Amino acid sequence: MVSKTMKPKKINLSVTEITTSSISLNWTEPLGNSSFYRVQWTNGSSTLNKSVFDKTTTISNLTAGGSYNIKVTAVAADDQTEGESVSTVKYTSKLTWKAPQPS
C-alpha cells in the first residue's frame, strides 16, 4: 500500500515585531500534514532560508531600514510536499539619532 502525503494548506502569517536588525514572525498551523516550515528572506541582493519546527521565528542580523521579502511555506514530513507559500514585504526600523539636550 502506498501512503499519500496530504499537502499542507496555506498558513496565516503575522509580523509580531520589527527592530533595526530583526523581524519576528508567527503563524497558525495549517490543515494537512506539516512537519516543519521553510522561512526564506531576501533583500534584493541575497537570499537566505532556514527550517523552523515551531510556529514562530525571528530573522536576525538584518540591515536597518532595509526592505525584506519574506516567504513562509509549510512542508510535509516527506520533505518534498509543500503547501502554498505566504509572502510579505517588510522594512526594518531605521536607526534614529537624537542630539543630546543642552543642560
Side-chain angles (χ1 to χ4, degrees):
M1 181 173 148
V2 176
S3 159
K4 184 175 179 182
T5 301
M6 184 175 164
K7 181 178 179 176
K9 298 292 183 188
K10 189 167 141 179
I11 64 161
N12 184 10
L13 179 64
S14 298
V15 175
T16 57
E17 183 180 19
I18 296 176
T19 70
T20 56
S21 62
S22 68
I23 299 174
S24 297
L25 313 164
N26 71 12
W27 52 87
T28 56
E29 186 171 352
L31 296 174
N33 296 329
S34 60
S35 179
F36 68 97
Y37 305 90
R38 187 169 292 121
V39 180
Q40 181 180 32
W41 63 99
T42 182
N43 64 0
S45 61
S46 63
T47 300
L48 299 168
N49 62 67
K50 65 179 176 178
S51 296
V52 178
F53 295 91
D54 202 355
K55 295 179 291 290
T56 183
T57 193
T58 297
I59 303 169
S60 303
N61 299 318
L62 305 178
T63 302
S67 172
Y68 292 89
N69 187 341
I70 302 164
K71 180 169 71 171
V72 180
T73 308
V75 183
D78 67 0
D79 202 21
Q80 295 178 12
T81 305
E82 296 184 350
E84 184 181 342
S85 298
V86 176
S87 297
T88 186
V89 176
K90 295 294 175 187
Y91 286 84
T92 51
S93 300
K94 292 183 179 180
L95 289 174
T96 55
W97 181 80
K98 291 184 179 181
Q101 298 296 318
S103 40

Coordinates of all heavy atoms in Angstrom, one line a residue:
M1 N 0.8 -1.2 0.0 CA 0.0 0.0 0.0 C 0.9 1.2 0.0 O 1.8 1.4 0.8 CB -0.9 0.0 1.3 CG -1.8 1.1 1.3 SD -2.9 0.9 2.7 CE -3.1 2.6 3.2
V2 N 0.6 2.2 -0.9 CA 1.3 3.4 -1.0 C 0.6 4.5 -0.2 O -0.6 4.7 -0.3 CB 1.5 3.9 -2.4 CG1 2.2 5.2 -2.5 CG2 2.2 2.8 -3.2
S3 N 1.3 5.1 0.7 CA 0.8 6.2 1.5 C 0.9 7.5 0.8 O 2.0 7.9 0.3 CB 1.5 6.2 2.9 OG 1.3 7.5 3.5
K4 N -0.2 8.3 0.7 CA -0.1 9.6 0.0 C 0.0 10.7 1.1 O -0.8 10.7 2.0 CB -1.3 9.8 -0.8 CG -1.3 11.1 -1.6 CD -2.4 11.2 -2.6 CE -2.3 12.6 -3.3 NZ -3.4 12.8 -4.2
T5 N 0.9 11.6 1.0 CA 1.1 12.7 1.9 C 0.1 13.8 1.5 O 0.0 14.2 0.4 CB 2.5 13.2 1.8 OG1 3.4 12.2 2.1 CG2 2.7 14.4 2.8
M6 N -0.7 14.2 2.6 CA -1.6 15.3 2.3 C -0.9 16.6 2.3 O -0.2 16.9 3.3 CB -2.7 15.3 3.5 CG -3.8 16.3 3.3 SD -5.0 16.1 4.5 CE -5.9 17.6 4.4
K7 N -1.1 17.4 1.3 CA -0.4 18.7 1.1 C -0.9 19.6 2.2 O -2.1 19.8 2.4 CB -0.8 19.2 -0.3 CG -0.1 20.5 -0.6 CD -0.5 20.9 -2.0 CE 0.2 22.3 -2.3 NZ -0.1 22.6 -3.7
P8 N 0.1 20.3 2.9 CA -0.3 21.3 3.9 C -1.0 22.4 3.2 O -0.7 22.8 2.1 CB 1.0 21.8 4.5 CG 2.0 20.8 4.0 CD 1.5 20.2 2.8
K9 N -2.0 23.0 3.9 CA -2.7 24.2 3.4 C -1.8 25.5 3.6 O -0.8 25.4 4.3 CB -4.0 24.3 4.0 CG -5.0 23.2 3.8 CD -5.4 23.1 2.3 CE -6.3 21.9 2.1 NZ -6.6 21.7 0.7
K10 N -2.4 26.6 3.2 CA -1.7 27.9 3.4 C -1.8 28.3 4.9 O -2.8 28.1 5.5 CB -2.5 28.9 2.5 CG -1.8 30.2 2.4 CD -2.5 30.9 1.2 CE -2.8 32.4 1.5 NZ -3.4 33.1 0.4
I11 N -0.6 28.9 5.4 CA -0.6 29.4 6.7 C -1.2 30.8 6.8 O -1.4 31.4 5.8 CB 0.8 29.3 7.3 CG1 1.7 30.3 6.5 CG2 1.4 27.9 7.3 CD1 3.0 30.7 7.2
N12 N -1.4 31.3 8.0 CA -1.8 32.6 8.2 C -0.7 33.3 8.9 O -0.4 33.1 10.1 CB -3.1 32.7 9.1 CG -3.6 34.0 9.3 OD1 -3.2 35.0 8.7 ND2 -4.6 34.2 10.2
L13 N 0.1 34.2 8.2 CA 1.3 34.8 8.7 C 1.1 36.1 9.3 O 0.3 37.0 8.8 CB 2.3 34.9 7.5 CG 3.6 35.6 7.7 CD1 4.5 34.7 8.7 CD2 4.4 35.8 6.4
S14 N 1.8 36.4 10.5 CA 1.7 37.7 11.1 C 3.1 38.1 11.5 O 4.0 37.3 11.8 CB 0.9 37.6 12.5 OG -0.4 37.2 12.2
V15 N 3.4 39.4 11.4 CA 4.6 40.0 11.8 C 4.4 40.5 13.2 O 3.4 41.3 13.4 CB 5.1 41.1 10.9 CG1 6.3 41.8 11.4 CG2 5.3 40.6 9.5
T16 N 5.1 40.1 14.2 CA 4.9 40.5 15.6 C 5.8 41.6 16.1 O 5.4 42.2 17.1 CB 5.0 39.2 16.5 OG1 6.3 38.7 16.4 CG2 3.9 38.2 16.2
E17 N 7.0 41.7 15.5 CA 7.9 42.8 16.0 C 8.9 43.1 14.9 O 9.4 42.2 14.2 CB 8.6 42.4 17.3 CG 9.5 43.4 17.8 CD 10.2 43.0 19.1 OE1 10.4 41.8 19.4 OE2 10.7 43.9 19.8
I18 N 9.2 44.4 14.8 CA 10.2 44.8 13.8 C 11.2 45.7 14.6 O 10.7 46.7 15.3 CB 9.6 45.6 12.6 CG1 8.7 44.7 11.8 CG2 10.7 46.2 11.7 CD1 8.0 45.3 10.7
T19 N 12.5 45.5 14.5 CA 13.5 46.3 15.1 C 14.4 46.8 14.0 O 14.2 46.5 12.8 CB 14.3 45.6 16.2 OG1 15.1 44.6 15.5 CG2 13.4 44.9 17.2
T20 N 15.5 47.4 14.4 CA 16.5 47.9 13.4 C 17.3 46.7 12.7 O 17.8 46.8 11.6 CB 17.5 48.9 14.0 OG1 18.2 48.2 15.1 CG2 16.9 50.1 14.4
S21 N 17.3 45.6 13.4 CA 18.1 44.4 12.9 C 17.4 43.1 12.8 O 18.0 42.1 12.6 CB 19.4 44.3 13.7 OG 19.0 44.0 15.1
S22 N 16.0 43.1 13.1 CA 15.3 41.8 13.1 C 13.8 42.0 12.8 O 13.3 43.1 13.0 CB 15.5 41.1 14.5 OG 14.8 41.8 15.5
I23 N 13.2 40.9 12.3 CA 11.8 40.9 12.1 C 11.3 39.5 12.7 O 11.8 38.5 12.4 CB 11.5 40.9 10.6 CG1 12.0 42.2 10.0 CG2 10.0 40.7 10.3 CD1 11.8 42.3 8.5
S24 N 10.3 39.6 13.6 CA 9.8 38.4 14.2 C 8.4 38.1 13.6 O 7.6 39.0 13.3 CB 9.6 38.7 15.7 OG 10.8 38.9 16.4
L25 N 8.2 36.8 13.4 CA 7.0 36.3 12.7 C 6.4 35.2 13.6 O 7.0 34.5 14.3 CB 7.4 35.7 11.4 CG 8.3 36.4 10.5 CD1 8.9 35.5 9.4 CD2 7.6 37.6 9.8
N26 N 5.1 35.0 13.4 CA 4.4 33.8 13.8 C 3.3 33.5 12.9 O 2.9 34.3 12.0 CB 3.9 33.9 15.3 CG 2.8 34.9 15.5 OD1 2.1 35.3 14.6 ND2 2.5 35.2 16.7
W27 N 2.8 32.3 12.9 CA 1.8 31.8 12.0 C 1.0 30.7 12.7 O 1.4 30.1 13.7 CB 2.4 31.3 10.7 CG 3.5 30.3 10.9 CD1 3.4 29.0 11.0 CD2 4.9 30.6 11.0 NE1 4.6 28.4 11.1 CE2 5.5 29.4 11.1 CE3 5.6 31.8 11.0 CZ2 6.9 29.3 11.3 CZ3 7.0 31.7 11.1 CH2 7.6 30.4 11.3
T28 N -0.2 30.4 12.1 CA -1.1 29.4 12.6 C -0.7 28.1 11.9 O -0.2 28.1 10.7 CB -2.5 29.7 12.2 OG1 -2.7 29.9 10.8 CG2 -3.0 30.9 13.0
E29 N -0.9 27.0 12.6 CA -0.6 25.7 12.0 C -1.7 25.4 10.9 O -2.9 25.5 11.1 CB -0.6 24.6 13.0 CG -0.2 23.2 12.5 CD -0.1 22.2 13.6 OE1 -0.1 22.6 14.8 OE2 0.1 21.0 13.3
P30 N -1.2 25.0 9.7 CA -2.2 24.8 8.6 C -2.9 23.4 8.7 O -2.4 22.5 9.4 CB -1.4 24.9 7.3 CG 0.0 24.3 7.8 CD 0.1 24.8 9.2
L31 N -4.0 23.3 8.0 CA -4.6 22.0 7.9 C -3.7 21.2 7.0 O -3.0 21.7 6.2 CB -6.0 22.1 7.2 CG -7.1 22.9 8.0 CD1 -8.3 23.0 7.2 CD2 -7.4 22.1 9.3
G32 N -3.8 19.8 7.2 CA -2.9 19.0 6.4 C -1.7 18.5 7.2 O -1.6 18.8 8.4
N33 N -0.8 17.8 6.5 CA 0.3 17.3 7.2 C 1.5 18.2 7.1 O 2.2 18.2 6.1 CB 0.7 15.9 6.6 CG -0.4 14.9 6.8 OD1 -1.1 14.9 7.8 ND2 -0.5 14.0 5.9
S34 N 1.8 19.0 8.1 CA 3.0 19.8 8.1 C 4.0 19.3 9.2 O 3.6 19.1 10.3 CB 2.7 21.3 8.3 OG 2.0 21.5 9.5
S35 N 5.2 19.1 8.8 CA 6.3 18.7 9.7 C 7.2 19.8 10.1 O 7.6 19.9 11.3 CB 7.1 17.6 9.0 OG 8.1 17.1 9.8
F36 N 7.4 20.8 9.2 CA 8.2 21.9 9.5 C 7.9 23.1 8.6 O 7.0 22.9 7.7 CB 9.7 21.6 9.5 CG 10.3 21.3 8.2 CD1 10.9 22.3 7.4 CD2 10.2 20.0 7.7 CE1 11.4 22.0 6.2 CE2 10.7 19.7 6.4 CZ 11.3 20.7 5.7
Y37 N 8.5 24.2 8.7 CA 8.2 25.4 7.9 C 9.5 25.9 7.3 O 10.6 25.9 8.0 CB 7.6 26.5 8.8 CG 6.3 26.0 9.4 CD1 6.4 25.4 10.7 CD2 5.1 26.0 8.8 CE1 5.3 24.9 11.3 CE2 4.0 25.5 9.4 CZ 4.1 25.0 10.7 OH 3.0 24.5 11.3
R38 N 9.5 26.2 6.0 CA 10.7 26.8 5.4 C 10.5 28.3 5.3 O 9.5 28.8 4.8 CB 10.8 26.2 4.0 CG 12.1 26.7 3.3 CD 12.3 25.9 2.0 NE 12.6 24.5 2.3 CZ 11.9 23.4 1.9 NH1 10.9 23.6 1.1 NH2 12.3 22.2 2.2
V39 N 11.4 29.1 6.0 CA 11.3 30.5 6.0 C 12.4 31.0 5.1 O 13.6 30.7 5.3 CB 11.5 31.0 7.5 CG1 11.4 32.6 7.5 CG2 10.4 30.4 8.4
Q40 N 12.1 31.9 4.2 CA 13.1 32.4 3.2 C 12.9 33.9 3.2 O 11.8 34.5 3.3 CB 12.8 31.9 1.8 CG 13.7 32.3 0.7 CD 13.4 31.7 -0.6 OE1 12.2 31.4 -0.9 NE2 14.4 31.5 -1.4
W41 N 14.0 34.6 3.1 CA 14.0 36.1 3.1 C 15.1 36.6 2.1 O 16.2 36.0 2.0 CB 14.1 36.7 4.4 CG 15.4 36.5 5.2 CD1 16.5 37.3 5.3 CD2 15.7 35.3 6.0 NE1 17.4 36.7 6.1 CE2 17.0 35.5 6.5 CE3 15.0 34.1 6.3 CZ2 17.6 34.6 7.3 CZ3 15.7 33.2 7.1 CH2 16.9 33.4 7.6
T42 N 14.8 37.7 1.5 CA 15.7 38.3 0.5 C 15.7 39.8 0.6 O 14.6 40.3 0.9 CB 15.4 37.8 -0.9 OG1 16.4 38.4 -1.8 CG2 14.0 38.2 -1.4
N43 N 16.8 40.4 0.4 CA 16.9 41.9 0.4 C 17.1 42.4 -1.0 O 17.5 43.6 -1.1 CB 17.9 42.4 1.4 CG 19.3 41.9 1.0 OD1 19.5 41.3 0.0 ND2 20.3 42.3 1.8
G44 N 17.0 41.6 -2.0 CA 17.2 42.0 -3.3 C 18.5 41.6 -3.9 O 18.7 41.4 -5.1
S45 N 19.5 41.4 -3.0 CA 20.9 41.0 -3.5 C 21.2 39.6 -3.0 O 22.1 38.9 -3.6 CB 21.9 42.0 -3.0 OG 22.0 42.1 -1.6
S46 N 20.7 39.2 -1.8 CA 21.0 37.9 -1.4 C 19.7 37.2 -0.8 O 18.8 37.9 -0.3 CB 22.1 37.9 -0.3 OG 21.7 38.6 0.8
T47 N 19.7 35.9 -0.8 CA 18.5 35.2 -0.3 C 19.0 34.2 0.7 O 20.0 33.4 0.5 CB 17.8 34.4 -1.5 OG1 17.3 35.4 -2.4 CG2 16.6 33.6 -0.9
L48 N 18.4 34.1 1.9 CA 18.7 33.2 2.9 C 17.5 32.4 3.3 O 16.3 32.9 3.1 CB 19.3 33.9 4.1 CG 20.5 34.7 3.9 CD1 20.8 35.6 5.1 CD2 21.7 33.8 3.7
N49 N 17.6 31.2 3.9 CA 16.5 30.5 4.4 C 16.9 29.6 5.6 O 18.0 29.4 5.8 CB 15.8 29.7 3.3 CG 16.8 28.7 2.7 OD1 17.1 27.7 3.4 ND2 17.2 28.8 1.5
K50 N 15.8 29.2 6.3 CA 16.0 28.3 7.4 C 14.8 27.4 7.6 O 13.7 27.8 7.2 CB 16.4 29.0 8.7 CG 15.3 29.9 9.2 CD 15.8 30.6 10.5 CE 14.9 31.6 11.1 NZ 15.3 32.2 12.4
S51 N 15.0 26.3 8.2 CA 13.9 25.4 8.5 C 13.5 25.7 10.0 O 14.4 25.8 10.9 CB 14.3 23.9 8.4 OG 14.5 23.7 7.0
V52 N 12.2 25.7 10.3 CA 11.7 26.1 11.6 C 10.7 25.0 12.0 O 9.8 24.7 11.2 CB 11.0 27.5 11.6 CG1 10.5 27.8 13.0 CG2 12.0 28.5 11.1
F53 N 10.8 24.5 13.2 CA 9.9 23.4 13.7 C 8.8 23.9 14.6 O 7.9 23.2 15.0 CB 10.7 22.3 14.3 CG 11.6 21.6 13.3 CD1 12.9 22.1 13.2 CD2 11.2 20.6 12.6 CE1 13.8 21.5 12.2 CE2 12.0 20.0 11.6 CZ 13.3 20.4 11.5
D54 N 8.8 25.2 14.9 CA 7.8 25.8 15.7 C 7.0 26.8 14.8 O 7.3 26.9 13.6 CB 8.5 26.6 16.8 CG 7.6 26.9 18.0 OD1 6.4 26.5 18.0 OD2 8.0 27.4 19.0
K55 N 6.0 27.4 15.4 CA 5.2 28.3 14.6 C 5.6 29.8 14.8 O 4.7 30.7 14.7 CB 3.7 28.1 14.9 CG 3.2 26.7 14.5 CD 1.8 26.5 14.8 CE 1.5 26.4 16.3 NZ 2.0 25.2 17.0
T56 N 6.8 30.0 15.1 CA 7.4 31.4 15.3 C 8.9 31.4 15.0 O 9.5 30.4 15.2 CB 7.1 31.8 16.8 OG1 7.5 33.1 16.9 CG2 7.7 30.9 17.8
T57 N 9.3 32.5 14.6 CA 10.8 32.7 14.4 C 11.1 34.1 14.3 O 10.3 35.0 14.1 CB 11.3 32.0 13.1 OG1 12.7 31.9 13.1 CG2 10.8 32.7 11.8
T58 N 12.4 34.4 14.5 CA 12.9 35.8 14.4 C 14.1 35.7 13.4 O 15.0 34.9 13.5 CB 13.4 36.4 15.7 OG1 12.3 36.4 16.6 CG2 14.0 37.7 15.6
I59 N 14.0 36.6 12.4 CA 15.1 36.7 11.4 C 16.0 37.8 11.9 O 15.5 38.9 12.1 CB 14.5 37.0 10.0 CG1 13.5 36.0 9.6 CG2 15.6 37.2 9.0 CD1 12.7 36.3 8.4
S60 N 17.2 37.5 12.1 CA 18.2 38.5 12.7 C 19.3 38.9 11.8 O 19.4 38.3 10.7 CB 18.8 37.8 14.0 OG 17.8 37.5 14.9
N61 N 20.1 39.8 12.3 CA 21.3 40.3 11.5 C 20.9 41.0 10.2 O 21.5 40.8 9.2 CB 22.3 39.1 11.2 CG 22.8 38.5 12.5 OD1 23.1 39.2 13.4 ND2 22.9 37.2 12.5
L62 N 19.8 41.7 10.3 CA 19.3 42.5 9.1 C 19.8 43.9 9.2 O 20.3 44.3 10.2 CB 17.7 42.5 9.1 CG 17.1 41.1 9.2 CD1 15.5 41.3 9.2 CD2 17.5 40.2 8.0
T63 N 19.8 44.6 8.0 CA 20.3 45.9 7.9 C 19.1 46.9 8.3 O 18.0 46.8 7.8 CB 20.7 46.2 6.5 OG1 21.7 45.2 6.2 CG2 21.3 47.6 6.3
A64 N 19.5 47.9 9.1 CA 18.5 48.9 9.5 C 17.9 49.6 8.3 O 18.7 50.0 7.4 CB 19.1 49.9 10.4
G65 N 16.6 49.8 8.2 CA 16.0 50.5 7.1 C 15.9 49.7 5.8 O 15.5 50.2 4.8
G66 N 16.2 48.4 5.9 CA 16.3 47.5 4.7 C 14.9 46.9 4.4 O 14.1 46.7 5.3
S67 N 14.7 46.7 3.1 CA 13.4 46.0 2.7 C 13.7 44.5 2.5 O 14.7 44.1 1.9 CB 13.0 46.6 1.3 OG 11.9 45.9 0.8
Y68 N 12.8 43.7 3.1 CA 12.9 42.3 3.1 C 11.6 41.6 2.6 O 10.6 41.9 3.1 CB 13.3 41.7 4.5 CG 14.7 42.2 4.8 CD1 14.9 43.4 5.5 CD2 15.8 41.4 4.5 CE1 16.2 43.8 5.8 CE2 17.1 41.9 4.8 CZ 17.3 43.1 5.5 OH 18.5 43.5 5.8
N69 N 11.8 40.8 1.6 CA 10.7 40.0 1.1 C 10.8 38.6 1.8 O 11.8 37.9 1.7 CB 10.8 39.8 -0.4 CG 9.6 39.1 -1.0 OD1 8.9 38.4 -0.3 ND2 9.4 39.2 -2.3
I70 N 9.8 38.3 2.6 CA 9.8 37.1 3.5 C 8.7 36.1 3.0 O 7.6 36.5 2.7 CB 9.5 37.5 4.9 CG1 10.5 38.6 5.4 CG2 9.5 36.3 5.8 CD1 10.2 39.3 6.7
K71 N 9.1 34.9 2.9 CA 8.2 33.8 2.4 C 8.2 32.7 3.4 O 9.3 32.2 3.8 CB 8.6 33.4 1.0 CG 7.7 32.3 0.5 CD 8.0 32.1 -1.0 CE 9.3 31.4 -1.2 NZ 9.5 30.9 -2.6
V72 N 7.1 32.2 3.9 CA 7.0 31.0 4.8 C 6.1 30.0 4.1 O 5.0 30.3 3.6 CB 6.3 31.4 6.1 CG1 6.3 30.2 7.0 CG2 7.1 32.5 6.8
T73 N 6.6 28.7 4.1 CA 6.0 27.6 3.5 C 5.9 26.4 4.4 O 6.9 26.1 5.0 CB 6.7 27.2 2.2 OG1 6.9 28.3 1.4 CG2 6.0 26.1 1.4
A74 N 4.7 25.8 4.6 CA 4.6 24.6 5.4 C 5.1 23.4 4.5 O 4.8 23.4 3.3 CB 3.2 24.4 5.8
V75 N 5.9 22.5 5.1 CA 6.4 21.4 4.4 C 6.0 20.1 5.1 O 6.1 20.0 6.4 CB 8.0 21.5 4.3 CG1 8.5 20.3 3.5 CG2 8.4 22.8 3.7
A76 N 5.5 19.1 4.4 CA 5.1 17.8 5.0 C 6.3 17.0 5.4 O 7.5 17.3 5.0 CB 4.2 17.1 3.9
A77 N 6.0 15.9 6.1 CA 7.1 15.0 6.6 C 7.9 14.4 5.5 O 9.1 14.0 5.8 CB 6.5 14.0 7.5
D78 N 7.4 14.3 4.3 CA 8.2 13.7 3.3 C 9.3 14.6 2.8 O 10.1 14.3 1.9 CB 7.4 13.2 2.1 CG 6.7 14.3 1.3 OD1 6.9 15.5 1.7 OD2 6.0 14.1 0.4
D79 N 9.4 15.8 3.3 CA 10.4 16.9 3.0 C 10.3 17.4 1.5 O 11.2 18.0 1.0 CB 11.8 16.3 3.2 CG 12.8 17.4 3.4 OD1 12.4 18.5 3.8 OD2 14.0 17.1 3.3
Q80 N 9.2 17.0 0.8 CA 9.0 17.4 -0.5 C 7.7 18.1 -0.8 O 7.6 19.1 -1.6 CB 9.1 16.2 -1.5 CG 10.5 15.6 -1.5 CD 10.6 14.4 -2.4 OE1 9.6 14.1 -3.1 NE2 11.6 13.6 -2.2
T81 N 6.6 17.6 -0.2 CA 5.3 18.2 -0.4 C 5.2 19.5 0.4 O 5.3 19.5 1.6 CB 4.2 17.2 0.1 OG1 4.4 15.9 -0.6 CG2 2.8 17.7 -0.2
E82 N 4.9 20.6 -0.4 CA 4.8 21.9 0.2 C 3.4 22.5 0.0 O 2.8 22.2 -1.0 CB 5.8 22.9 -0.5 CG 7.3 22.5 -0.3 CD 8.2 23.5 -0.9 OE1 7.7 24.4 -1.6 OE2 9.4 23.4 -0.6
G83 N 3.0 23.2 1.0 CA 1.8 24.0 0.9 C 2.0 25.3 0.1 O 3.1 25.6 -0.3
E84 N 1.0 26.0 0.0 CA 1.1 27.3 -0.7 C 1.9 28.3 0.2 O 1.6 28.5 1.3 CB -0.3 27.9 -1.0 CG -0.3 29.1 -1.8 CD -1.7 29.7 -2.1 OE1 -2.7 28.9 -1.9 OE2 -1.8 30.9 -2.4
S85 N 2.9 29.0 -0.4 CA 3.7 29.9 0.3 C 2.9 31.2 0.6 O 2.0 31.6 -0.2 CB 4.9 30.3 -0.5 OG 5.7 29.2 -0.7
V86 N 3.3 31.8 1.7 CA 2.7 33.1 2.1 C 3.9 34.1 2.1 O 4.9 33.8 2.8 CB 2.0 33.1 3.4 CG1 1.5 34.4 3.8 CG2 0.8 32.1 3.4
S87 N 3.7 35.2 1.5 CA 4.8 36.2 1.4 C 4.3 37.6 2.0 O 3.2 37.9 1.9 CB 5.2 36.4 0.0 OG 5.8 35.3 -0.6
T88 N 5.3 38.3 2.5 CA 5.1 39.7 2.9 C 6.4 40.5 2.7 O 7.5 39.9 2.7 CB 4.7 39.7 4.4 OG1 4.3 41.1 4.8 CG2 5.8 39.2 5.3
V89 N 6.3 41.8 2.5 CA 7.4 42.6 2.4 C 7.4 43.6 3.5 O 6.4 44.3 3.8 CB 7.4 43.4 1.0 CG1 8.6 44.4 1.0 CG2 7.5 42.4 -0.2
K90 N 8.5 43.6 4.3 CA 8.6 44.5 5.5 C 9.9 45.2 5.5 O 10.9 44.7 4.9 CB 8.5 43.7 6.8 CG 7.1 43.0 6.9 CD 6.0 44.1 7.1 CE 4.7 43.5 7.2 NZ 3.6 44.4 7.2
Y91 N 10.0 46.4 6.1 CA 11.2 47.1 6.3 C 11.6 47.1 7.7 O 10.7 47.2 8.6 CB 11.0 48.6 5.9 CG 10.8 48.9 4.4 CD1 9.6 48.7 3.8 CD2 11.9 49.3 3.7 CE1 9.5 49.0 2.4 CE2 11.8 49.6 2.4 CZ 10.6 49.4 1.7 OH 10.5 49.6 0.4
T92 N 12.9 46.9 8.0 CA 13.4 47.0 9.4 C 13.3 48.5 9.7 O 13.3 49.4 8.9 CB 14.8 46.5 9.5 OG1 15.6 47.1 8.5 CG2 14.9 45.0 9.3
S93 N 13.3 48.7 11.0 CA 13.3 50.1 11.5 C 14.6 50.8 11.2 O 15.6 50.2 11.1 CB 13.1 50.1 13.1 OG 11.9 49.5 13.4
K94 N 14.5 52.1 10.9 CA 15.7 52.9 10.6 C 16.3 53.3 11.9 O 15.7 53.5 13.0 CB 15.3 54.2 9.9 CG 14.8 53.9 8.5 CD 14.5 55.2 7.7 CE 14.0 54.9 6.3 NZ 13.7 56.1 5.6
L95 N 17.6 53.5 11.9 CA 18.4 54.0 13.0 C 18.0 55.4 13.2 O 17.9 56.2 12.3 CB 19.9 53.9 12.8 CG 20.5 52.5 12.8 CD1 21.9 52.5 12.4 CD2 20.3 51.8 14.2
T96 N 17.8 55.8 14.4 CA 17.5 57.2 14.7 C 18.5 57.7 15.7 O 18.9 57.0 16.6 CB 16.1 57.4 15.3 OG1 15.9 56.6 16.4 CG2 15.0 57.0 14.3
W97 N 18.9 58.9 15.6 CA 19.8 59.5 16.5 C 19.2 60.8 17.0 O 18.7 61.6 16.3 CB 21.1 59.8 15.8 CG 22.2 60.4 16.6 CD1 23.0 59.7 17.5 CD2 22.5 61.8 16.7 NE1 23.8 60.6 18.1 CE2 23.6 61.9 17.7 CE3 22.1 62.9 16.1 CZ2 24.2 63.1 18.0 CZ3 22.7 64.2 16.4 CH2 23.7 64.2 17.4
K98 N 19.3 60.9 18.3 CA 18.8 62.2 18.9 C 19.9 62.9 19.5 O 20.8 62.4 20.2 CB 17.7 61.8 20.0 CG 16.5 61.3 19.5 CD 15.5 61.0 20.6 CE 14.2 60.5 20.1 NZ 13.2 60.3 21.1
A99 N 20.0 64.2 19.2 CA 21.0 65.1 19.7 C 20.9 65.2 21.2 O 19.7 65.3 21.7 CB 21.0 66.4 19.0
P100 N 22.0 65.2 21.9 CA 21.8 65.4 23.4 C 21.2 66.8 23.7 O 21.5 67.7 23.0 CB 23.3 65.4 23.9 CG 24.1 64.9 22.7 CD 23.3 65.0 21.5
Q101 N 20.4 66.8 24.7 CA 19.7 68.0 25.1 C 20.7 68.9 25.9 O 21.4 68.3 26.8 CB 18.5 67.7 25.9 CG 17.4 66.9 25.1 CD 16.9 67.7 23.9 OE1 16.6 68.9 24.0 NE2 16.7 67.1 22.8
P102 N 20.8 70.2 25.6 CA 21.7 71.0 26.4 C 21.1 71.1 27.9 O 19.9 71.1 28.1 CB 21.6 72.4 25.8 CG 20.4 72.3 24.8 CD 20.1 70.9 24.6
S103 N 22.1 71.2 28.8 CA 21.6 71.2 30.2 C 21.6 72.6 30.8 O 22.1 73.5 30.2 CB 22.5 70.3 31.1 OG 23.9 70.4 30.7

